Amino acid sequence: MKVILLEDVKNLGKKGQLVEVSDGYARNYIFAKKLGLEATSKNLNDLKLQKAHEDKLAAQRLEDAKAFAADLEKVQVVLKLKTGEGGKLFGSVSSKEIAQAAKEQFHLEIDKKKLVLPNPIRAVGTTIVPVKLHPQVTGELKVVVQEA
């Protein structure tokens, strides 16, 4: 019997996949636990429409991420912090501080977890911080640290 999976099933397949299982397994496990539907023509058509809708949403998210990345490259976040001798900061600049400054200065909502800081910023100057907006899109945010 052909079954459309509604959820991931271990050792069988992923959500949205069409799999072939025995009649008893389908009736007693898959249908009983609402893990799948019988692959009728109506259910196959619904699956096709659902996948088309998900593809459309994924394409929209990608376009939004590209547009946001273009906006990020136009701005320059300025942080004014106390420094010691030689332009070294007391402590370092965290991704939380950068995200908060971007929100205050430009009203840009950036999740601090999406900022990729390989090393903490510990000195005065300009740093380009990569921002992971989408699996396929990485924007760049210019962060300028100045003496207070």
Side-chain angles (χ1 to χ4, degrees):
M1 171 183 282
K2 291 191 183 236
V3 175
I4 300 169
L5 296 177
L6 299 176
E7 294 182 25
D8 293 353
V9 179
K10 191 173 183 179
N11 297 330
L12 187 60
K14 301 267 185 207
K15 177 182 177 181
Q17 234 179 357
L18 183 66
V19 293
E20 180 77 34
V21 295
S22 68
D23 292 350
Y25 184 67
R27 266 194 316 272
N28 297 327
Y29 184 74
I30 303 287
F31 299 153
K33 294 194 179 210
K34 296 187 176 27
L35 297 175
L37 296 171
E38 187 176 355
T40 62
S41 60
K42 179 195 177 300
N43 289 340
L44 286 171
N45 191 33
D46 290 347
L47 174 69
K48 189 170 99 176
L49 292 173
Q50 184 179 5
K51 281 190 178 186
H53 181 68
E54 288 172 0
D55 291 344
K56 185 178 175 184
L57 288 177
Q60 182 63 39
R61 277 191 230 107
L62 178 64
E63 290 302 316
D64 292 345
K66 286 180 181 178
F68 193 65
D71 291 343
L72 278 182
E73 291 180 12
K74 296 175 188 170
V75 299
Q76 180 172 314
V77 176
V78 178
L79 295 167
K80 294 186 181 190
L81 302 169
K82 283 179 109 177
T83 59
E85 289 183 29
K88 290 204 172 198
L89 298 175
F90 294 118
S92 63
V93 178
S94 68
S95 58
K96 181 179 179 182
E97 292 171 318
I98 295 170
Q100 188 175 6
K103 184 175 183 180
E104 290 171 2
Q105 294 173 18
F106 302 102
H107 305 291
L108 292 175
E109 291 287 333
I110 302 172
D111 186 8
K112 68 178 183 178
K113 295 174 189 158
K114 293 184 179 185
L115 293 169
V116 182
L117 277 173
N119 299 319
I121 301 170
R122 297 178 191 260
V124 173
T126 303
T127 307
I128 298 198
V129 178
V131 182
K132 192 81 168 154
L133 300 171
H134 187 273
Q136 300 170 356
V137 179
T138 301
E140 291 182 342
L141 180 64
K142 191 180 284 187
V143 178
V144 178
V145 179
Q146 298 175 343
E147 290 185 43

